[in-house]
Amino acid sequence: MASQVRGLHSGAALYRKWWVPYVWLAPALVMITTFGIFPFFNTLLLSFTNAKPLGGGGNFVGFENYSRLLSDASFWQATRNSVTYAVIAVPLLVLLPLILASIVHKKIPFIGFFRSAFYTPVLASVVAVGLVWQNLLSEQGPVNTVLKNLNVISEAIPFLSNNTLILLSAIALTVWKGLGWYMIFYLAALGGVPQTLYEAAQLDGAGPIRRFVSVTIPGVRLTMLLIGIMSGIGSLRVFTEIYMLGGATGGPGGGARTLPFYIRDTALDPITGNAGYGAAVSIALFILTGALAYAAQRFGGEKES
């Protein structure tokens, strides 16, 4: 018995050693360093070189790649497209899933079926969904055919050959696919809003819209902030939707390209590509994403205070 007690004491003493927590953290530190920190600093160093995609590390060129960014019209066009994408998509991805969650949060018959139906697009791959939308929005596709038959339009709408419409179609695809995903976040958050607040507001004569604005939105405010940051970062990194709807060139003349699309074109082309310049564009995208996340946190922090 005494030996068992001594064994337990020695075991507890082992766990009090200062290095034990680091042993448990070591796998996570290795993963973060290998797949997060190292690639970032490698990209940062690469941005100061003229490395080719297939030609090794290249030579040090200082800030040449960054100064080239300032006068690169294609870079600014891709930046405008990415920012436009985020400005339109983020409010829709913050508000529409909340409205959807408020509806399916109610306990009515067959509500489980509707929740599953709204979540189904999340399970499909972006490529598969893009192919479906490509077919729907083509000039001979169902959307144009129905609009023509209803005499809403006389000529097919060029959803897939006009840069602005490609961008808007890709935003619609992103919002449609993200509704179910963010709805789950809101359903969890709505479960934490006290029902008594709704009952009190109803006794005060507040209608459904007033209760939504005065009770639901304040109750899920932090979730809205989280979804705003997540959807904002996702919108700035969008690539596949543009590729599927606008083709490999990103629309006519590359006019619908976003920043990730432009990074691929500038950094990975085996003939004309410049990996160093592509890395500089990547750092610019990183700064833009960080600025968005910081602004959202500051805005959310001020609201919270």
Side-chain angles (χ1 to χ4, degrees):
M1 182 66 181
S3 62
Q4 291 178 346
V5 172
R6 281 196 300 273
L8 290 175
H9 280 292
S10 61
L14 174 65
Y15 279 97
R16 286 198 295 269
K17 298 290 185 181
W18 66 268
W19 46 266
V20 171
Y22 295 98
V23 172
W24 293 107
L25 288 173
L29 290 173
V30 171
M31 294 288 287
I32 292 171
T33 304
T34 305
F35 299 106
I37 297 175
F38 173 74
F40 172 76
F41 283 103
N42 187 52
T43 302
L44 184 63
L45 292 174
L46 195 63
S47 70
F48 293 103
T49 70
N50 61 355
K52 299 296 180 184
L54 304 177
N59 300 317
F60 181 75
V61 295
F63 287 93
E64 183 180 309
N65 289 326
Y66 291 97
S67 63
R68 178 182 165 186
L69 283 179
L70 300 177
S71 59
D72 185 350
S74 296
F75 165 74
W76 288 111
Q77 183 184 47
T79 303
R80 280 195 301 273
N81 288 341
S82 289
V83 172
T84 302
Y85 206 102
V87 167
I88 297 175
V90 171
L92 294 175
L93 285 171
V94 170
L95 289 178
L96 293 182
L98 176 57
I99 295 172
L100 199 62
S102 300
I103 295 171
V104 301
H105 184 62
K106 300 180 187 303
K107 295 180 180 178
I108 59 175
F110 307 110
I111 197 62
F113 167 77
F114 289 105
R115 288 182 183 178
S116 302
F118 289 134
Y119 189 75
T120 300
V122 179
L123 303 176
S125 75
V126 183
V127 175
V129 171
L131 288 173
V132 173
W133 277 59
Q134 195 181 77
N135 181 56
L136 288 173
L137 298 177
S138 67
E139 295 198 3
Q140 293 78 32
V143 173
N144 274 314
T145 303
V146 170
L147 292 177
K148 278 183 181 177
N149 291 337
L150 293 175
N151 292 323
V152 177
I153 57 174
S154 58
E155 295 183 357
I157 300 175
F159 289 110
L160 306 180
S161 57
N162 177 282
N163 287 324
T164 302
L165 292 178
I166 290 171
L167 206 59
L168 293 177
S169 300
I171 291 171
L173 194 161
T174 299
V175 172
W176 174 77
K177 198 173 183 318
L179 280 179
W181 173 248
Y182 294 122
M183 179 191 74
I184 298 298
F185 285 76
Y186 280 127
L187 284 175
L190 286 172
V193 180
Q195 192 63 30
T196 53
L197 293 178
Y198 289 103
E199 295 170 356
Q202 197 165 8
L203 287 175
D204 289 339
I209 297 177
R210 183 65 180 173
R211 292 199 298 273
F212 179 79
V213 174
S214 301
V215 180
T216 301
I217 289 181
V220 299
R221 187 174 56 248
L222 291 179
T223 305
M224 293 176 73
L225 174 64
L226 173 65
I227 291 176
I229 294 174
M230 290 172 61
S231 59
I233 293 172
S235 297
L236 291 175
R237 296 166 56 188
V238 72
F239 172 85
T240 310
E241 289 89 337
I242 299 293
Y243 187 92
M244 295 305 299
L245 298 181
T249 59
R257 287 186 299 184
T258 54
L259 279 173
F261 214 108
Y262 189 57
I263 291 169
R264 186 210 64 162
D265 287 350
T266 54
L268 301 181
D269 190 307
I271 300 174
T272 61
N274 185 330
Y277 185 63
V281 180
S282 300
I283 296 298
L285 175 59
F286 170 78
I287 293 171
L288 184 62
T289 306
L292 172 70
Y294 178 75
Q297 285 185 332
R298 286 297 299 262
F299 177 75
E302 289 176 2
K303 287 287 184 183
E304 185 64 15
S305 63

